[in-house]
Amino acid sequence: MTSQTSSGSRRRVGADLHLDLAVTAGRGVRVALTDALRDAVRSGRLPAGTALPSSRGLAADLGLARTTVVDAYAELTAEGWLTARQGAPTRVAATVPVPHPAPRPADGRDGPGVVHDLRPGRPDASMFPRAAWWQAVRRAVAAAPDAAWDYGDPAGRPELRTALATYLARVRGVRAGPEQVVVTAGATEGLRLLAGVLTDRAGAGLAVEELGLHAHRRMLDAIGPPTVPLALDDAGARTAELPDLTAATGTRAVLLTPAHQFPTGIPLRPARRTAAVAWAREADGIVVEDDYDGEFRYDRRPVGAVQGLAPERAAYLGTASKALAPGLRLGWLVLPVDLARAVAARMAGGVGVVDQLALADLLDSGGYDRQVRTARRHYRLRREELVALVAGRGPGLRVVGHPAGLHALIELPDGTEAGVLDAARQRGVALEGLGAFRHPRAAAGRDGIVVGFATPSASAWSGALTALGDLLAAVG
Amino acid sequence: MTSQTSSGSRRRVGADLHLDLAVTAGRGVRVALTDALRDAVRSGRLPAGTALPSSRGLAADLGLARTTVVDAYAELTAEGWLTARQGAPTRVAATVPVPHPAPRPADGRDGPGVVHDLRPGRPDASMFPRAAWWQAVRRAVAAAPDAAWDYGDPAGRPELRTALATYLARVRGVRAGPEQVVVTAGATEGLRLLAGVLTDRAGAGLAVEELGLHAHRRMLDAIGPPTVPLALDDAGARTAELPDLTAATGTRAVLLTPAHQFPTGIPLRPARRTAAVAWAREADGIVVEDDYDGEFRYDRRPVGAVQGLAPERAAYLGTASKALAPGLRLGWLVLPVDLARAVAARMAGGVGVVDQLALADLLDSGGYDRQVRTARRHYRLRREELVALVAGRGPGLRVVGHPAGLHALIELPDGTEAGVLDAARQRGVALEGLGAFRHPRAAAGRDGIVVGFATPSASAWSGALTALGDLLAAVG
């Protein structure tokens, strides 16, 4: 198969804007222009309120048909990135959309559609414990006081906040009372609310690991000052560099994934945990701990949360998306009390009381533990099969990181990532390149793909594994 | 009982800020200062980023103890209105908290606590159909495709969007396809998302009825340019004045409650509906229709939604909070397609899939209709008892508005509102004064109280009614 290489062309727009239009055979110039403008807004290169050139002017500058520019502007206006008014220039919107936490399946524009879904960040949907959930709902609905149906504390139901404090203390070493727990509509929503408070207080962007969840980074960049990359190495985030980062940028909050770095899979070493906490105490800062898959360690008992080392200097993010389902939209924050109050004051929607009470029931009754154990066995076997698939394929190919989590990073020989991704698209294999997770201000790094081995259903798994093996055969 | 009158004092802070400190015997100066500062931020008089005077300076200006100012700043910082940094002035936060849609019960500071809860905006929590809900959950959880557990379309599950489009067409005359429906975590969250898009597009504040839900107004004032009051009279909102309002302020969106004006209870007359739609077409504007209790009309079939007159010029807000429960956090928007896409792009948290599928089941199966009919009978009887209580008590006392909804406005003799509210607080009767709902830029109006007659449970209702009668006896 011939790989479709992109012909990037750098063009000047107005006085100071460059757009990289990556046009390929399967992806027209309209899509490329739309993506380039969207990225420019997302990254902050086009700040809120910026007037864009007229469609006629931009088309002339870029040598494109005017309708192409008109279409791109209309698409971005519909998505909320731009605002258009009759008789006035199109502008960058004052508040930009919150990116969805997970990428969508490739659509027809990008290839033949998804046949094998290996996107990271998702559990096997067929594992959702339907019967256990509705039984928990039945018990919770029967037992709820009438007051539960009213508007409640925006921080969440007391039953769930208590159940989470108890569960997280036992399983993750989190030290907190119920008053420090805030229930959110998923971890991303929790991070959004928290980041609003933190950027107001600090006036500087958050530091983030130089490889990390793109959706979170883009959301943070849209909320406040731009994020600052913190270097990683084979022992995790280089937290000893935080004081220098603070001196250079003023940042006083760092987003870490200590249990299982996303996406490299490396746990943060104890000395580096201690360094992060020491920095937070010294800088009057805070460690934001995204414990997105902390329950899923396969070789031994997971290291406890950083939060347990310094509850007054940590903001802990958790989610039911991995053990239960993203569709439930259930996450939680554990915060110092003043932050918990400030975050709760910003809650607008909140989380439905039935889901909250059902989750509290599952946590208290041991049903949640059972589900985690079942899922852990299921995913451990899959990871072992993935490791076996990669083993011995060549010196440039290896599975990075500890046996944990629902995804794995497979390092590729230098220069092969784009080709593997192109081939994956053509064959309908949905996965993500490591480059997509790299901070735009980070140095270049190794090639790799991030494989969500938990995503396929039980019946789809072996086919997905075979398809992945075929992709790797071309580079191994 | 002696009414505690407030001693308002207008004081200069810095160069240009006035604070009205309403200090009463039961309410210290710290609370008054905190409230005044909070209101100044909410109303936009203290814009984001404004540096406040030092606690020492403000205390000297106001003749207060410094600890009083320190406490007020600390409280507002914890709530997220202000931001404090070591060595820098306290400032107004860049993004301010979203007010909770409904007031909280009075706490100890305001009186002896709530004995009779007649706050508007709530259904009788004991009416929640527990068995019907968990049976709907059981059916929905059993029937859901595996894909439902994954991250889904941020606009909501297709089953619910289709069920809502069908239901709203039948019951409220809404004309829309499922692609125009966006499921939100309550109506307030829907309005928040919509207002973000609208203020980006229009660059001007929304027009709102001069009497309306304070929580919505404050939220809108925090999101974008200040809201603009639209006058009301005995036939509802004076929509013929919208063109002048647009000429004067640039506003291109108006928030109306056409079915049952909140809180006056007057339905918007047909000619005024037509005027609103004509204005929207002429001004390239939009009518935001808050149909918060549209199913609860007791004398005859309710007039259909304004949305049905001009689907391309209307944004319809609905909620399950009245027929089911606020605790479910379930609301919906019906929008022109481009707005629906823009709003969905801003969704961060979203609504849990189980609640969405259960509500779709109830709508499709007729269970929702049954619940509305049951609740309607229940609340109609209560409203009749309330009308009987007020009838014949004196010329200055009357229940305003049509027989509909879950609350009623009782007009009081001029100058008696504050006294009735004080007496209510002392006796533990939670209700709201009409003045709380008046736009700060609206002209003064009649005295009144807004009574949520649906709020008490079945067993608490007769006691609450008696307590209300005692309050009215003092002024009737």
Side-chain angles (χ1 to χ4, degrees):
Chain A
M1 197 183 72
T2 319
S3 107
Q4 302 183 329
T5 56
S6 71
S7 63
S9 59
R10 185 167 277 263
R11 297 176 193 254
R12 177 171 288 270
V13 180
D16 56 3
L17 177 68
H18 292 85
L19 292 177
D20 286 304
L21 301 185
V23 181
T24 63
R27 181 168 172 281
V29 68
R30 183 183 64 75
V31 174
L33 176 63
T34 307
D35 288 354
L37 285 168
R38 194 189 291 110
D39 285 347
V41 175
R42 264 185 191 143
S43 68
R45 284 197 296 136
L46 284 175
T50 307
L52 294 180
S54 69
S55 56
R56 191 182 303 278
L58 185 57
D61 278 352
L62 299 178
L64 304 176
R66 185 174 168 220
T67 53
T68 303
V69 179
V70 168
D71 287 350
Y73 280 12
E75 168 90 11
L76 293 168
T77 302
E79 292 176 7
W81 300 97
L82 305 180
T83 65
R85 278 180 79 181
Q86 203 71 33
T90 299
R91 290 182 181 277
V92 176
T95 55
V96 300
V98 177
H100 206 241
R104 290 157 176 279
D107 65 17
R109 291 196 307 222
D110 293 325
V114 174
V115 182
H116 304 291
D117 191 349
L118 290 168
R119 290 172 295 161
R122 296 168 156 72
D124 175 353
S126 66
M127 295 282 292
F128 183 75
R130 297 179 188 233
W133 188 258
W134 80 253
Q135 285 158 4
V137 166
R138 185 181 54 181
R139 288 189 298 266
V141 166
D146 272 351
W149 310 117
D150 195 359
Y151 295 100
D153 186 333
R157 284 296 302 174
E159 296 90 337
L160 179 54
R161 297 168 78 193
T162 302
L164 281 169
T166 306
Y167 172 77
L168 295 172
R170 174 167 57 82
V171 171
R172 305 293 300 124
V174 166
R175 290 192 287 148
E179 73 284 1
Q180 293 175 252
V181 179
V182 180
V183 180
T184 60
T188 300
E189 171 68 354
L191 181 60
R192 184 181 75 82
L193 293 164
L194 175 65
V197 175
L198 293 179
T199 56
D200 269 357
R201 291 187 176 187
L206 272 73
V208 298
E209 293 163 326
E210 65 179 349
L211 290 167
L213 191 59
H214 36 36
H216 281 179
R217 176 171 48 73
R218 286 177 196 145
M219 180 181 75
L220 294 172
D221 284 337
I223 288 173
T227 53
V228 178
L230 174 66
L232 294 171
D233 61 23
D234 290 345
R238 298 170 65 98
T239 51
E241 296 177 5
L242 282 168
D244 288 348
L245 220 51
T246 299
T249 66
T251 188
R252 284 163 60 223
V254 62
L255 174 61
L256 298 174
T257 47
H260 188 230
Q261 203 279 329
F262 188 89
T264 65
I266 298 167
L268 191 64
R269 289 203 185 150
R272 296 192 174 194
R273 295 169 171 245
T274 312
V277 167
W279 161 82
R281 290 190 172 129
E282 179 66 28
D284 188 20
I286 193 154
V287 176
V288 182
E289 176 173 32
D290 183 2
D291 198 38
Y292 64 100
D293 65 1
E295 291 122 334
F296 292 91
R297 178 96 183 222
Y298 307 131
D299 51 347
R300 56 187 175 88
R301 196 176 162 75
V303 176
V306 170
Q307 195 273 354
L309 298 179
E312 76 290 0
R313 289 289 162 200
Y316 175 95
L317 274 82
T319 176
S321 293
K322 304 297 189 298
L324 292 172
L328 290 179
R329 313 305 310 123
L330 277 169
W332 45 85
L333 295 167
V334 183
L335 303 170
V337 170
D338 65 317
L339 266 181
R341 292 180 63 191
V343 166
R346 286 166 192 253
M347 295 281 274
V351 178
V353 65
V354 177
D355 284 342
Q356 290 194 60
L357 295 175
L359 180 58
D361 178 284
L362 278 191
L363 288 166
D364 289 341
S365 67
Y368 194 83
D369 286 297
R370 275 193 296 281
Q371 176 66 13
V372 168
R373 282 196 299 271
T374 304
R376 203 188 278 141
R377 279 194 299 274
H378 186 65
Y379 300 141
R380 188 187 62 210
L381 292 174
R382 287 199 180 177
R383 190 176 187 283
E384 288 168 1
E385 292 184 76
L386 182 71
V387 169
L389 179 82
V390 174
R393 278 195 184 260
L397 277 174
R398 67 174 186 125
V399 176
V400 181
H402 281 228
L406 279 63
H407 74 275
L409 167 60
I410 302 177
E411 280 187 0
L412 301 176
D414 284 349
T416 61
E417 180 177 319
V420 169
L421 292 176
D422 259 342
R425 259 192 298 276
Q426 291 305 316
R427 298 176 192 189
V429 182
L431 43 73
E432 295 211 62
L434 182 56
F437 298 104
R438 188 166 285 122
H439 194 286
R441 289 168 53 197
R446 293 175 185 153
D447 279 22
I449 52 174
V450 181
V451 174
F453 54 78
T455 311
S457 67
S459 61
W461 167 242
S462 72
L465 198 65
T466 304
L468 181 64
D470 292 346
L471 288 174
L472 297 178
V475 293
Chain B
M1 197 183 74
T2 319
S3 108
Q4 303 183 329
T5 55
S6 70
S7 63
S9 60
R10 184 168 281 260
R11 299 177 192 252
R12 177 170 290 271
V13 178
D16 55 4
L17 177 68
H18 292 86
L19 293 177
D20 286 305
L21 301 186
V23 180
T24 64
R27 183 168 170 281
V29 68
R30 184 183 63 77
V31 173
L33 177 63
T34 308
D35 288 353
L37 285 168
R38 195 190 290 110
D39 285 346
V41 175
R42 265 184 188 142
S43 68
R45 282 195 299 134
L46 282 175
T50 306
L52 295 179
S54 69
S55 55
R56 192 181 303 278
L58 185 57
D61 278 353
L62 298 179
L64 302 176
R66 185 174 168 219
T67 54
T68 303
V69 180
V70 169
D71 287 349
Y73 279 13
E75 169 90 10
L76 294 168
T77 301
E79 292 177 5
W81 299 98
L82 304 180
T83 66
R85 276 179 82 181
Q86 202 70 36
T90 299
R91 291 179 181 278
V92 177
T95 55
V96 300
V98 177
H100 206 238
R104 290 157 176 281
D107 61 20
R109 291 196 308 224
D110 293 326
V114 174
V115 182
H116 303 291
D117 191 350
L118 291 167
R119 290 172 294 162
R122 295 167 157 74
D124 175 354
S126 66
M127 295 282 292
F128 183 76
R130 297 179 187 233
W133 188 258
W134 76 252
Q135 286 159 4
V137 167
R138 184 180 55 180
R139 289 190 296 267
V141 166
D146 272 349
W149 310 116
D150 196 359
Y151 295 99
D153 187 334
R157 283 296 303 174
E159 296 90 338
L160 179 55
R161 298 167 78 192
T162 302
L164 281 168
T166 306
Y167 172 78
L168 294 171
R170 172 165 61 81
V171 172
R172 304 294 301 123
V174 166
R175 291 192 286 146
E179 73 284 0
Q180 294 174 251
V181 178
V182 180
V183 180
T184 60
T188 300
E189 170 68 354
L191 181 59
R192 186 182 75 83
L193 293 165
L194 175 65
V197 175
L198 293 179
T199 56
D200 269 358
R201 290 186 178 187
L206 272 73
V208 298
E209 293 163 327
E210 64 178 351
L211 289 167
L213 191 59
H214 35 37
H216 281 178
R217 176 172 48 73
R218 287 176 197 147
M219 181 182 73
L220 295 173
D221 283 337
I223 289 172
T227 53
V228 177
L230 174 65
L232 293 171
D233 61 22
D234 290 344
R238 299 171 63 96
T239 52
E241 296 176 6
L242 282 169
D244 288 347
L245 220 51
T246 299
T249 67
T251 189
R252 285 162 60 222
V254 63
L255 174 61
L256 298 174
T257 46
H260 187 231
Q261 204 280 329
F262 187 88
T264 64
I266 299 167
L268 191 65
R269 288 204 184 149
R272 297 194 175 194
R273 296 168 171 247
T274 312
V277 167
W279 161 81
R281 289 188 172 130
E282 179 65 28
D284 189 19
I286 192 152
V287 176
V288 181
E289 176 173 33
D290 183 3
D291 197 39
Y292 64 100
D293 65 1
E295 292 122 332
F296 292 92
R297 178 96 183 219
Y298 307 130
D299 53 346
R300 56 187 175 88
R301 198 179 161 73
V303 177
V306 169
Q307 195 274 355
L309 299 179
E312 78 289 0
R313 288 287 162 201
Y316 175 95
L317 274 80
T319 177
S321 292
K322 303 299 188 294
L324 292 172
L328 290 179
R329 313 308 307 123
L330 277 168
W332 44 86
L333 295 166
V334 183
L335 303 170
V337 171
D338 65 318
L339 265 182
R341 292 179 62 192
V343 166
R346 283 167 194 253
M347 295 280 274
V351 178
V353 64
V354 176
D355 284 341
Q356 291 194 58
L357 295 175
L359 179 58
D361 177 282
L362 278 191
L363 288 165
D364 288 341
S365 67
Y368 195 84
D369 285 295
R370 274 193 297 280
Q371 176 66 13
V372 168
R373 282 196 300 270
T374 304
R376 203 188 277 140
R377 278 194 301 273
H378 186 64
Y379 299 141
R380 189 187 61 210
L381 292 174
R382 287 200 181 176
R383 191 177 187 283
E384 287 167 2
E385 292 183 76
L386 182 71
V387 169
L389 178 82
V390 174
R393 279 197 184 258
L397 277 174
R398 68 174 184 123
V399 176
V400 182
H402 281 230
L406 280 62
H407 74 275
L409 167 60
I410 302 178
E411 279 187 359
L412 300 176
D414 284 349
T416 62
E417 180 177 320
V420 169
L421 292 177
D422 259 342
R425 259 193 298 275
Q426 292 303 316
R427 298 178 192 190
V429 182
L431 43 72
E432 296 211 62
L434 182 56
F437 300 104
R438 188 167 285 121
H439 195 285
R441 290 168 55 197
R446 293 176 186 153
D447 280 22
I449 51 173
V450 181
V451 174
F453 55 78
T455 309
S457 67
S459 59
W461 167 241
S462 74
L465 197 65
T466 304
L468 181 65
D470 291 346
L471 287 173
L472 297 179
V475 294

